Amino acid sequence: MNSVWSAECQIEKRIKLSRDIETDTVVIGAGMAGILTAFLLQEKGIKVVVVEGNEVASGMTKNTTAKITAQHNLIYSRLIKEIGLEKAKQYARANVAAIKRYKDIIDELNIDCHYEEMPAYVYSLRDKISILDETNAAISVGIDAEYTETVSLPFKVKAAVKFNNQAQFNPLEFISVVSKRLDIYEHTMVREVKDNVVITDNGNITARNIVVATHYPFINVPGYYFLRMYQKRSYVLALENVPLLDGMYKDESEKGYSFRNYKDYVIFGGEGHKTGEKRLESSYEKLRKAAKEIYPDSKEVYNWSAQDCTGLDEIPYIGRYSAKTPHMYVATGFNKWGMTSSMVSAMIISDMITEKENENADVFSPQRFNVTASAKNLYEQGKETVTSLMLKKLVIPSSDIEHVANNTGAIIEYEGHKVGVYKDGTGKAYFVSTTCTHLGCQLEWNPDELSWDCPCHGSRFDYEGNLINNPALVDLKKGE
Ligand SMILES: Cc1cc2nc3c(=O)[nH]c(=O)nc-3n(C[C@H](O)[C@H](O)[C@H](O)COP(=O)(O)OP(=O)(O)OC[C@H]3O[C@@H](n4cnc5c(N)ncnc54)[C@H](O)[C@@H]3O)c2cc1C
Ligand code: FES
């Protein structure tokens, strides 16, 4: 189903690239990160082109819950412990500046995007100490935060930390205006980057600077992001006939829920899991049960889901793609906080390209880890596995799939290889190789969304084998 944002807002369509072009900077990916980076670069007088494999904001950005907040769960107490006060302050300053930048752009361009200033709360059902610690940590890094035990949720909490001056909006209404003045090519998938040339199916772009804003970076070497990020999916319902809230809320527990208002709806999210993880029960059904318990009179109007990338230390990777590529930049690893993180990326990367110092850049540097030489071997090995499996023809005898029920997906063994089968309501079967075309991991069936999902780095494919989400770049091998 569509998210409430895509149901209510259409963004102007753009043409495909159809020739070779040159520009100063090319941004790959037209989600929130790519659009904002291009927008800030253009404001600074840089000639910029955006290329998008699908359509503007058709990736995770259309399925976000769109809270604009520096409150990223209980992050500041953890950051101070793990990386020290100075870096934690950089993280906080960058996110507070990002919130302000959204407001400035919305005011300057007079954008009607249901922008509302709202406090954000992280609450706990079990523990006051961690909330108190986070409140003190947030205050120590310069955030306007307070401890409270009173919230407008329809259930009692032990305690909550409240951040003042946060915001919420409709992200597509915002992007539809901000992207208007940008030079964008849609349906132009980038297959490869060679030095300063971006190679697409429809033409090449030569540029001094390249920004990879593709959600999960698709260039495996250098950078090795596939060794340091995985993806997590979660689910959202828009509910009507429910009392509205005085703020945006999130449970500190991984198993808890997220809430915000939009018009007369409460947007209710949760039931997250690692992409590609085997589940015994439908995540949508679990979320619906929870919604009915909390809001017995509620009615579901929309449902949708999305996923986001998480790095090893749960801090985004923003800056140079690798030490070896001085003119290639990356924005990824937003850990479900990509509204402010996209703006942080745009501010840092546009400063780097225009050679302006940014006092908050260090904490996000993708070079904060050394990726070892063995990574290259791992990549070569994975690539070989995929290539050899892609070459093998997939023809499955019908006797092998008789036991698969209609409306069900399953993995069967055929000649020593795993083959994915999905039977639709009429019994028509669709076969795919369940070897991920990224680096060869074994895919899992996702019964909620009828897709084949990869537990390694989160690529997803529909039941016919067509690519839905990267880092893979090509469809699955299909069978007969
Ligand atoms: C359920 C859920 C709720 C969330 N709620 C919030 C929230 O309340 N607040 C918040 O701050 N964050 C939230 N997030 C996170 C946020 O939505 C994401 O971090 C953000 O939308 C990511 O934006 P992006 O531009 O990086 O990626 P995307 O929006 O996915 O954009 C990447 C684009 O790149 C394109 N692309 C990919 N590969 C190529 C290629 N090879 N060539 C050309 N184009 C390519 C894709 O088609 C896509 O359009 C949430 C995430 C989830 C999962
Ligand atoms: S996404 Fe990397 S192996 Fe599947």
Side-chain angles (χ1 to χ4, degrees), residues 226 436-441 443 454-459 470-472:
F226 65 92
C436 179
T437 58
H438 179 226
L439 289 173
C441 289
L443 302 172
C454 183
C456 289
H457 318 106
S459 292
N470 71 351

Side-chain angles (χ1 to χ4, degrees), residues 28-34 51-55 58-61 63-67 188-190 213-215 218 234 236 306-308 334 336-340 342 470 473:
I28 311 174
M32 189 60 86
V51 272
E52 165 56 50
N54 193 347
E55 293 179 353
S58 62
M60 296 314 140
T61 297
N63 287 342
T64 181
T65 49
K67 300 174 182 170
T188 302
M189 189 71 148
V190 174
T214 54
H215 190 238
F218 67 100
S234 52
V236 185
Q307 62 189 35
D308 211 358
F334 297 161
K336 296 192 187 162
W337 297 111
M339 296 299 103
T340 47
S342 288
N470 71 351
L473 283 173

Side-chain angles (χ1 to χ4, degrees), residues 424-459:
D424 68 14
T426 67
K428 180 169 167 27
Y430 300 83
F431 305 104
V432 294
S433 156
T434 54
T435 302
C436 179
T437 58
H438 179 226
L439 289 173
C441 289
Q442 172 69 37
L443 302 172
E444 282 290 342
W445 177 243
N446 172 346
D448 275 322
E449 296 163 279
L450 308 186
S451 60
W452 293 102
D453 297 358
C454 183
C456 289
H457 318 106
S459 292

Side-chain angles (χ1 to χ4, degrees), residues 322-347:
S322 77
K324 289 186 186 150
T325 50
H327 295 289
M328 189 152 87
Y329 302 86
V330 68
T332 190
F334 297 161
N335 197 27
K336 296 192 187 162
W337 297 111
M339 296 299 103
T340 47
S341 302
S342 288
M343 186 65 91
V344 170
S345 305
M347 292 167 90

